[in-house]
Amino acid sequence: MSSLSRLDSSSSSSDDDDELILSALHIAHTQYKARNVPRWGGSVVGREYIHRDRVGGAWRLYNDYFSENPTYGPNFFRRRFRMGRSLFMRIVQAVEQHDDYFVQKREGNGRLGLSCLQKICAAYMMISYGVPADFMDQYIRIGESTVVESLRRFVRSIIEVFGDEYLRSPNEHDTARLLAIGESRGFPGMLGSIDCMHWEWKNCPTAWQGQYTGHVHKPTIILEAVASQDLWIWHAFFGLPGSHNDINVLHRSHLFAKLAEGEAPQVNYTINCHSYTMGYYLADGIYPKWATFVKSMKSPLGNKKKYFCQAQEAVRKDVERAFGVLQSRFAIVRGPARFWDKETLREIMTACIIMHNMIVEDERDGNEDFRYDGVGQLVRPSLSEERNRTHEFHEFMQAHHAIRNVQTHSQLREDLIEHLWQRHGDMY
């Protein structure tokens, strides 16, 4: 055989080998994709079909809670759904209009599918009671995989429809109201209280458990929140591993992003003949000595400092109360999280906070009025869309250092000690 023929035969054999390798890779990739595609129910050979009587379940749910003369009245509805029926129906209508998944349709065989109330109530019961997905089959007549899909779509719709309104940063009107509340409680310039909460992650992947395990000795995910007296949560930053502490979370959150960029409403108030231009939050001892935090003292000496510590610790419990109410309304964030992906957990926590704020607004006393004389002078309204934005880098750095000013922190606390003591003397 000549050298040319041997070359041709070797090249053809190498081409055949390449084709075999490519074919094997294609088959392996196809099998991998088939294994990782989520297998929903439907017509599967060998799987038992369960006749759940969906229509009967839908009618039973409607007659029990949503008809003109329901079996269970408004008090039972408020107790079991954690909110009034008018607010719940507002959420149902908004979610149904936003996501076509919740619109009732007919299946290919002509049977009527699940109603919007069945899907949303099943998802909401998982959130409010923390029950597993297959528990919904007994009353609402809905399968486990459908409940999980409904939950994911429900919380995503809540965020997309109501997130901008009910999880917003305080605007001029909100800031004026918060400052008026703080003034009435003896803390001029206060915008709320800040703290962190841990949510246990039961199904945390084994490879991540060391990263997500901290002082709780179980994998957890941290929520940083700011709350006001009425338990409205103004700031929520969720997702950092439980091995972090409050300081690590603070350095990664967006709490002071608008303030550093000059987009936050400008606050102006005077305490003990000293003027200040930034609001502050009440915090516990772990937080740093910044101009935007007011902390208590470990060993206060003298009646003035003791009274200040008592007042600060009493008002700072607003955020602790908000965490307690959030967990009591939505048991899913009180018990261990059973989902595997962190994105779903983030959406569940965010949706719970949004619905919590909606309930606070719906049940807020309309007669409450914190518009005291002169409160409008504390907040400077924005005259243009650009506000006082830091267009230059050095302006941003100046605002950044002003937020972290230790001298301002110490001066502010001393002024508050004197202010509270004078207020205490005037009251008695």
Side-chain angles (χ1 to χ4, degrees):
M1 181 183 296
S2 64
S3 59
L4 182 60
S5 60
R6 285 197 302 269
L7 182 61
D8 292 338
S9 61
S10 62
S11 61
S12 61
S13 61
S14 63
D15 292 340
D16 294 339
D17 293 340
D18 292 341
E19 292 180 359
L20 289 174
I21 293 173
L22 292 174
S23 300
L25 289 174
H26 177 71
I27 294 172
H29 180 64
T30 304
Q31 293 178 350
Y32 174 79
K33 290 177 63 178
R35 287 197 304 269
N36 286 273
V37 171
R39 296 174 179 267
W40 305 107
S43 302
V44 179
V45 178
R47 176 174 292 180
E48 179 184 2
Y49 172 74
I50 301 176
H51 179 68
R52 292 187 169 88
D53 188 18
R54 300 174 179 174
V55 177
W59 274 110
R60 185 162 49 250
L61 177 64
Y62 177 79
N63 291 327
D64 284 347
Y65 295 103
F66 301 100
S67 64
E68 294 183 0
N69 296 310
T71 304
Y72 303 100
N75 292 333
F76 282 97
F77 191 99
R78 173 63 183 82
R79 178 180 178 181
R80 294 173 181 175
F81 285 82
R82 308 322 197 228
M83 65 177 69
R85 190 172 72 171
S86 60
L87 176 58
F88 188 81
M89 292 307 299
R90 175 191 169 195
I91 294 175
V92 170
Q93 294 171 4
V95 170
E96 184 179 12
Q97 293 177 1
H98 180 75
D99 192 347
D100 185 68
Y101 173 81
F102 293 98
V103 178
Q104 190 175 25
K105 310 177 187 69
R106 287 196 178 272
E107 299 178 350
N109 54 12
R111 291 183 304 177
L112 195 63
L114 293 164
S115 68
C116 177
L117 286 176
Q118 283 177 293
K119 293 180 180 179
I120 292 182
C121 286
Y124 188 79
M125 289 301 174
M126 276 193 68
I127 294 174
S128 58
Y129 287 94
V131 294
D134 57 355
F135 182 79
M136 298 295 110
D137 197 12
Q138 298 182 9
Y139 175 68
I140 304 182
R141 301 298 183 181
I142 183 170
E144 178 182 0
S145 61
T146 309
V147 175
V148 174
E149 179 68 13
S150 300
L151 174 65
R152 287 195 170 102
R153 287 178 173 266
F154 175 71
V155 295
R156 194 174 300 119
S157 298
I158 289 291
I159 297 171
E160 293 173 356
V161 175
F162 300 105
D164 293 339
E165 181 179 0
Y166 290 97
L167 198 58
R168 66 181 186 272
S169 300
N171 54 30
E172 285 86 359
H173 174 76
D174 300 327
T175 304
R177 184 174 180 273
L178 292 173
L179 292 173
I181 296 174
E183 176 71 28
S184 66
R185 304 174 77 185
F187 288 90
M190 184 189 71
L191 298 175
S193 53
I194 182 173
D195 205 353
C196 291
M197 182 190 82
H198 288 255
W199 185 15
E200 181 183 346
W201 191 3
K202 179 179 181 293
N203 288 338
C204 175
T206 304
W208 295 358
Q209 289 193 5
Q211 179 183 0
Y212 282 82
T213 302
H215 69 280
V216 184
H217 304 297
K218 293 179 181 179
T220 59
I221 306 178
I222 300 177
L223 166 68
E224 179 191 71
V226 171
S228 55
Q229 184 185 23
D230 58 357
L231 306 186
W232 185 291
I233 298 177
W234 293 100
H235 162 79
F237 178 69
F238 177 79
L240 286 187
S243 58
H244 291 269
N245 57 25
D246 296 8
I247 301 177
N248 303 138
V249 177
L250 175 66
H251 286 303
R252 288 163 175 78
S253 71
H254 56 276
L255 177 60
F256 298 116
K258 287 190 175 181
L259 182 60
E261 295 172 1
E263 295 183 352
Q266 293 188 11
V267 178
N268 303 278
Y269 60 96
T270 302
I271 307 177
N272 198 26
C273 300
H274 290 99
S275 299
Y276 298 94
T277 58
M278 292 186 298
Y280 59 85
Y281 303 99
L282 301 186
D284 56 15
I286 192 174
Y287 281 88
K289 295 180 179 180
W290 290 1
T292 49
F293 292 130
V294 171
K295 307 192 298 180
S296 182
M297 301 178 179
K298 292 185 178 180
S299 301
L301 298 177
N303 293 331
K304 292 182 180 181
K305 294 182 179 180
K306 288 181 180 179
Y307 180 74
F308 165 78
C309 292
Q310 292 176 359
Q312 193 270 355
E313 292 167 4
V315 177
R316 189 182 60 80
K317 294 301 180 184
D318 291 343
V319 66
E320 302 288 353
R321 292 169 49 233
F323 287 151
V325 172
L326 179 69
Q327 291 178 331
S328 63
R329 281 177 175 161
F330 307 108
I332 193 171
V333 300
R334 182 176 68 241
R338 293 188 294 269
F339 285 89
W340 296 92
D341 56 310
K342 194 170 67 172
E343 181 63 23
T344 300
L345 299 182
R346 185 193 65 81
E347 292 178 344
I348 290 174
M349 178 63 75
T350 306
C352 289
I353 293 173
I354 292 172
M355 290 188 289
H356 166 83
N357 287 343
M358 296 177 73
I359 297 172
V360 169
E361 181 190 62
D362 185 63
E363 298 181 353
R364 180 183 292 159
D365 187 0
N367 297 324
E368 291 181 357
D369 187 7
F370 294 99
R371 294 181 176 275
Y372 301 111
D373 294 337
V375 68
Q377 301 174 4
L378 301 179
V379 181
R380 183 179 302 171
S382 59
L383 301 178
S384 63
E385 294 183 357
E386 293 194 0
R387 301 180 186 259
N388 243 351
R389 295 198 62 179
T390 54
H391 295 284
E392 301 294 336
F393 179 73
H394 72 275
E395 295 176 349
F396 174 80
M397 291 304 300
Q398 288 177 358
H400 179 82
H401 289 303
I403 294 172
R404 291 159 174 77
N405 194 300
V406 179
Q407 289 75 17
T408 306
H409 167 84
S410 302
Q411 184 64 52
L412 176 60
R413 186 164 67 174
E414 292 298 326
D415 291 338
L416 283 172
I417 291 173
E418 293 295 331
H419 174 76
L420 284 169
W421 186 250
Q422 292 176 6
R423 185 174 180 269
H424 176 67
D426 294 339
M427 293 174 59
Y428 296 95

